Amino acid sequence: MIIMRTKLLFMALAIAAVSTAKDIKTVVLTTNPEMHCTGCEKKIKDNIRFEKGIKSITTNLDDKTVVIEYDADKTNVQNIIEGFKKIKYEACEVKENSSKQVDAETGATKK
C-alpha cells in the first residue's frame, strides 16, 4: 500500500514538472552603437535584465555581442530588440549562417 502511494506521488510530481517546463531560448545580438567598453556592458546588463522574460545576459566585448537567454512563453526576440531601443541602442540578431558565428554559452566567436 505504501509503495503504491509512493509510486502515485512520484507520477503526479513527474507530470507536474513536465507541465510547468519553461521554453528557454537563446539569442545572440549585436548593437549599434557597438558595445566597446565596460560602461556599455553595464548599461546593457543593468537595463535589459528588467525586460520581461529575460533569464540571463552575457556580453563579449571582443566580439561585440550580447547573448540573452529568455523565456519564450513570456517574450520574444522582437520584444528584446525593442528593449534595446529604450536605452538608445539598435540591436540586430546574429544569424547562424552569418560569417561570424558565436557560441551561445560563452559568447565567443567560433572559427
Side-chain angles (χ1 to χ4, degrees):
M1 185 72 163
I2 293 175
I3 295 173
M4 182 65 111
R5 284 186 183 170
T6 304
K7 285 183 181 180
L8 285 173
L9 179 60
F10 179 74
M11 287 176 42
L13 289 173
I15 291 170
V18 169
S19 66
T20 60
K22 296 186 184 266
D23 186 13
I24 304 299
K25 294 189 177 184
T26 303
V27 63
V28 180
L29 302 165
T30 58
T31 63
N32 185 18
E34 284 188 336
M35 180 180 56
H36 65 279
C37 66
T38 57
C40 297
E41 280 184 309
K42 183 172 175 26
K43 181 177 182 179
I44 288 169
K45 286 181 176 180
D46 287 352
N47 289 283
I48 298 301
R49 69 185 173 113
F50 290 111
E51 290 298 316
K52 185 177 182 178
I54 301 295
K55 297 297 176 193
S56 72
I57 303 170
T58 306
T59 54
N60 185 314
L61 279 176
D62 294 333
D63 295 331
K64 299 181 181 2
T65 57
V66 181
V67 179
I68 297 178
E69 284 188 352
Y70 63 97
D71 184 343
D73 293 332
K74 295 183 179 180
T75 194
N76 58 44
V77 174
Q78 190 57 43
N79 289 343
I80 294 169
I81 290 172
E82 290 297 319
F84 274 85
K85 289 181 181 178
K86 294 176 188 174
I87 59 170
K88 309 288 189 249
Y89 279 89
E90 186 176 321
C92 182
E93 184 176 2
V94 176
K95 301 290 184 178
E96 277 192 42
N97 62 357
S98 72
S99 60
K100 183 197 279 189
Q101 291 188 357
V102 177
D103 185 300
E105 288 184 17
T106 64
T109 301
K110 293 180 182 179
K111 302 230 178 198

